[in-house]
PDB file of all heavy atoms in Angstrom:
ATOM      1  N   MET Y 211     -11.179  30.949   8.356  1.00 96.00           N
ATOM      2  CA  MET Y 211     -10.001  30.070   8.345  1.00 96.00           C
ATOM      3  C   MET Y 211      -9.893  29.327   9.682  1.00 96.00           C
ATOM      4  O   MET Y 211      -9.111  28.401   9.803  1.00 96.00           O
ATOM      5  CB  MET Y 211      -8.715  30.876   8.147  1.00 96.00           C
ATOM      6  CG  MET Y 211      -8.716  31.866   7.008  1.00 96.00           C
ATOM      7  SD  MET Y 211      -8.214  31.179   5.439  1.00 96.00           S
ATOM      8  CE  MET Y 211      -6.500  30.720   5.692  1.00 96.00           C
ATOM      9  N   GLY Y 212     -10.634  29.777  10.705  1.00 96.00           N
ATOM     10  CA  GLY Y 212     -10.566  29.164  12.034  1.00 96.00           C
ATOM     11  C   GLY Y 212      -9.275  29.515  12.741  1.00 96.00           C
ATOM     12  O   GLY Y 212      -8.345  28.709  12.836  1.00 96.00           O
ATOM     13  N   LEU Y 213      -9.146  30.742  13.213  1.00 98.00           N
ATOM     14  CA  LEU Y 213      -7.898  31.199  13.846  1.00 98.00           C
ATOM     15  C   LEU Y 213      -7.649  30.517  15.194  1.00 98.00           C
ATOM     16  O   LEU Y 213      -8.578  30.301  15.953  1.00 98.00           O
ATOM     17  CB  LEU Y 213      -7.942  32.717  14.065  1.00 98.00           C
ATOM     18  CG  LEU Y 213      -8.019  33.618  12.842  1.00 98.00           C
ATOM     19  CD1 LEU Y 213      -8.035  35.088  13.274  1.00 98.00           C
ATOM     20  CD2 LEU Y 213      -6.851  33.363  11.888  1.00 98.00           C
ATOM     21  N   THR Y 214      -6.399  30.185  15.472  1.00 98.00           N
ATOM     22  CA  THR Y 214      -6.021  29.637  16.781  1.00 98.00           C
ATOM     23  C   THR Y 214      -5.276  30.722  17.574  1.00 98.00           C
ATOM     24  O   THR Y 214      -4.982  31.792  17.046  1.00 98.00           O
ATOM     25  CB  THR Y 214      -5.076  28.419  16.637  1.00 98.00           C
ATOM     26  OG1 THR Y 214      -3.803  28.897  16.185  1.00 98.00           O
ATOM     27  CG2 THR Y 214      -5.633  27.383  15.672  1.00 98.00           C
ATOM     28  N   GLN Y 215      -4.937  30.386  18.817  1.00 97.00           N
ATOM     29  CA  GLN Y 215      -4.182  31.311  19.674  1.00 97.00           C
ATOM     30  C   GLN Y 215      -2.814  31.647  19.074  1.00 97.00           C
ATOM     31  O   GLN Y 215      -2.207  32.647  19.423  1.00 97.00           O
ATOM     32  CB  GLN Y 215      -3.957  30.692  21.062  1.00 97.00           C
ATOM     33  CG  GLN Y 215      -5.211  30.572  21.908  1.00 97.00           C
ATOM     34  CD  GLN Y 215      -5.765  31.941  22.293  1.00 97.00           C
ATOM     35  OE1 GLN Y 215      -5.020  32.853  22.608  1.00 97.00           O
ATOM     36  NE2 GLN Y 215      -7.079  32.085  22.229  1.00 97.00           N
ATOM     37  N   LYS Y 216      -2.338  30.760  18.213  1.00 98.00           N
ATOM     38  CA  LYS Y 216      -1.005  30.970  17.610  1.00 98.00           C
ATOM     39  C   LYS Y 216      -0.986  32.069  16.559  1.00 98.00           C
ATOM     40  O   LYS Y 216       0.081  32.542  16.158  1.00 98.00           O
ATOM     41  CB  LYS Y 216      -0.520  29.669  16.964  1.00 98.00           C
ATOM     42  CG  LYS Y 216       0.103  28.707  17.953  1.00 98.00           C
ATOM     43  CD  LYS Y 216       0.860  27.648  17.203  1.00 98.00           C
ATOM     44  CE  LYS Y 216       1.590  26.736  18.159  1.00 98.00           C
ATOM     45  NZ  LYS Y 216       1.918  25.448  17.512  1.00 98.00           N
ATOM     46  N   ALA Y 217      -2.172  32.453  16.078  1.00 98.00           N
ATOM     47  CA  ALA Y 217      -2.243  33.499  15.036  1.00 98.00           C
ATOM     48  C   ALA Y 217      -2.111  34.850  15.717  1.00 98.00           C
ATOM     49  O   ALA Y 217      -3.046  35.337  16.338  1.00 98.00           O
ATOM     50  CB  ALA Y 217      -3.568  33.399  14.292  1.00 98.00           C
ATOM     51  N   VAL Y 218      -0.924  35.468  15.637  1.00 98.00           N
ATOM     52  CA  VAL Y 218      -0.676  36.704  16.397  1.00 98.00           C
ATOM     53  C   VAL Y 218      -0.479  37.946  15.531  1.00 98.00           C
ATOM     54  O   VAL Y 218      -0.533  39.068  16.030  1.00 98.00           O
ATOM     55  CB  VAL Y 218       0.544  36.557  17.346  1.00 98.00           C
ATOM     56  CG1 VAL Y 218       0.262  35.508  18.410  1.00 98.00           C
ATOM     57  CG2 VAL Y 218       1.824  36.235  16.579  1.00 98.00           C
ATOM     58  N   TYR Y 219      -0.274  37.773  14.237  1.00 98.00           N
ATOM     59  CA  TYR Y 219       0.076  38.905  13.385  1.00 98.00           C
ATOM     60  C   TYR Y 219      -0.397  38.599  11.968  1.00 98.00           C
ATOM     61  O   TYR Y 219      -0.573  37.435  11.615  1.00 98.00           O
ATOM     62  CB  TYR Y 219       1.606  39.063  13.352  1.00 98.00           C
ATOM     63  CG  TYR Y 219       2.107  40.475  13.542  1.00 98.00           C
ATOM     64  CD1 TYR Y 219       2.413  40.940  14.825  1.00 98.00           C
ATOM     65  CD2 TYR Y 219       2.305  41.332  12.460  1.00 98.00           C
ATOM     66  CE1 TYR Y 219       2.895  42.240  15.017  1.00 98.00           C
ATOM     67  CE2 TYR Y 219       2.782  42.625  12.650  1.00 98.00           C
ATOM     68  CZ  TYR Y 219       3.078  43.074  13.928  1.00 98.00           C
ATOM     69  OH  TYR Y 219       3.555  44.361  14.104  1.00 98.00           O
TER      70      TYR Y 219
END
Side-chain angles (χ1 to χ4, degrees):
M211 311 272 295
L213 296 181
T214 71
Q215 290 294 320
K216 278 195 175 159
V218 296
Y219 226 92

